Amino acid sequence: MADQHTPRSLIVTLYGAYGRSSGGGGEPMPVASLVRLLAAVGVDAPSVRSSVSRLKRRGLLVAARTTRGAAGYALSEDARQLLDDGDRRIYEHPMPRLSDGWVLAVFSVPEAERSKRHLLRSRLARLGFGTAAPGVWIAPARLYEETRHTLERLQLAPYVDLFRGEHLGFAATAEAVARWWDLAAIAKQHEEFLDRHEPVLRAWTAARGASSTPSASPEDAYRDYLPALDSWRRLPYADPGLPAELLPEDWPGVRSAEVFAALHARLRDAGAEFVRDEA
């Protein structure tokens, strides 16, 4: 997981965690608040401002006034759709079944538009698809809706046909999966997440056990939760969530999901108090 915790990534993570109301929109965040909130996790003000400008150019943030009239930034409609789709990956940990089947993306892009071919391949890879054959990509069937949203948002849908199906051979499905995805590389990402964030969970667990009236400091909770979420939110995209019978024994993804779920349950709401105070 190289390039961890870049300013742009942390800003997106901040909006995803605390910049949306239950209805999806959320109050625009003043620039001054963004500077203070990112300073708490080690990002300086110039980096925040330049990153916000890049996110605005990419269409993820839009300039908006807060209810108090301060200049700030809110999520664009595309960004909200992106984050809403991501919620299902990041916070829900379903038990995948082999009987659920697969979604296939079959595409053909004219040579004159090969830049779109590169974009299509990179987006399918970022969605967690594996490569079954040239121009044929595969993922668990539950990723269909998010895939459709992504391809439509990027105006790539005309180049792709999507199918649902099951694997009928000739190789055993577990053998085929090991060709379609680099399982060793995915396992390494889970192990890196555990190396960084399992000690954080142990420290919070020990602190709670040592206190008769345990409570999470909002700032400390925020400082530990935002980087954990920033690390974790990539993993459900690198790891498509394959059925257990198709994975190697002692798959580290099980433990990393447990660690993130425990950190989320313990720190997210306490961190929200710090965000409210700083906003």
Side-chain angles (χ1 to χ4, degrees), residues 158-173:
Y159 305 97
V160 185
D161 285 303
L162 297 176
F163 302 87
R164 289 184 187 269
E166 58 181 310
H167 181 241
L168 299 177
F170 294 91
T173 303

Side-chain angles (χ1 to χ4, degrees), residues 193-218:
F193 177 86
L194 289 169
D195 288 344
R196 292 180 183 208
H197 300 290
E198 193 168 25
V200 176
L201 177 61
R202 285 197 296 264
W204 280 97
T205 302
R208 185 177 68 173
S211 174
S212 58
T213 57
S215 62
S217 156

Side-chain angles (χ1 to χ4, degrees), residues 56-266:
K56 182 182 176 184
R57 287 197 296 272
R58 289 177 57 192
L60 296 177
L61 295 180
V62 293
R65 293 281 176 179
T66 70
T67 53
R68 299 178 181 178
Y73 288 91
L75 293 166
S76 67
E77 290 295 333
D78 282 351
R80 284 198 290 272
Q81 180 68 71
L82 186 66
L83 291 171
D84 288 347
D85 283 341
D87 285 350
R88 289 186 283 274
R89 296 261 197 140
I90 294 166
Y91 301 112
E92 299 175 14
H93 305 120
M95 297 298 292
R97 300 171 300 177
L98 188 56
S99 60
D100 293 339
W102 307 92
V103 59
L104 292 177
V106 180
F107 65 85
S108 178
V109 181
E111 182 62 25
E113 298 179 274
R114 57 180 176 269
S115 62
K116 291 186 177 179
R117 185 186 307 144
H118 172 74
L119 177 60
L120 183 50
R121 287 171 175 162
S122 66
R123 290 297 167 151
L124 289 173
R126 287 171 61 179
L127 285 165
F129 276 70
T131 309
V136 181
W137 293 59
I138 187 167
R142 64 184 176 79
L143 303 185
Y144 162 71
E145 289 290 345
E146 185 180 359
T147 301
R148 182 174 63 83
H149 290 158
T150 300
L151 296 177
E152 289 174 343
R153 185 176 64 251
L154 297 174
Q155 300 181 349
L156 294 171
Y159 305 97
V160 185
D161 285 303
L162 297 176
F163 302 87
R164 289 184 187 269
E166 58 181 310
H167 181 241
L168 299 177
F170 294 91
T173 303
E175 294 178 14
V177 160
R179 295 196 309 269
W180 300 338
W181 283 276
D182 187 343
L183 296 180
I186 297 170
K188 183 178 179 181
Q189 291 187 52
H190 283 295
E191 290 161 356
E192 289 173 349
F193 177 86
L194 289 169
D195 288 344
R196 292 180 183 208
H197 300 290
E198 193 168 25
V200 176
L201 177 61
R202 285 197 296 264
W204 280 97
T205 302
R208 185 177 68 173
S211 174
S212 58
T213 57
S215 62
S217 156
E219 184 172 359
D220 287 344
Y222 169 83
R223 288 178 189 272
D224 283 344
Y225 178 67
L226 197 72
L229 176 58
D230 195 53
S231 295
W232 171 258
R233 69 181 180 87
R234 297 166 174 78
L235 266 170
Y237 288 91
D239 183 342
L242 299 169
E245 60 264 43
L246 302 180
L247 293 169
E249 292 185 11
D250 300 322
W251 181 248
V254 176
R255 180 59 185 157
S256 67
E258 292 172 348
V259 167
F260 174 73
L263 287 169
H264 176 72
R266 183 161 296 171

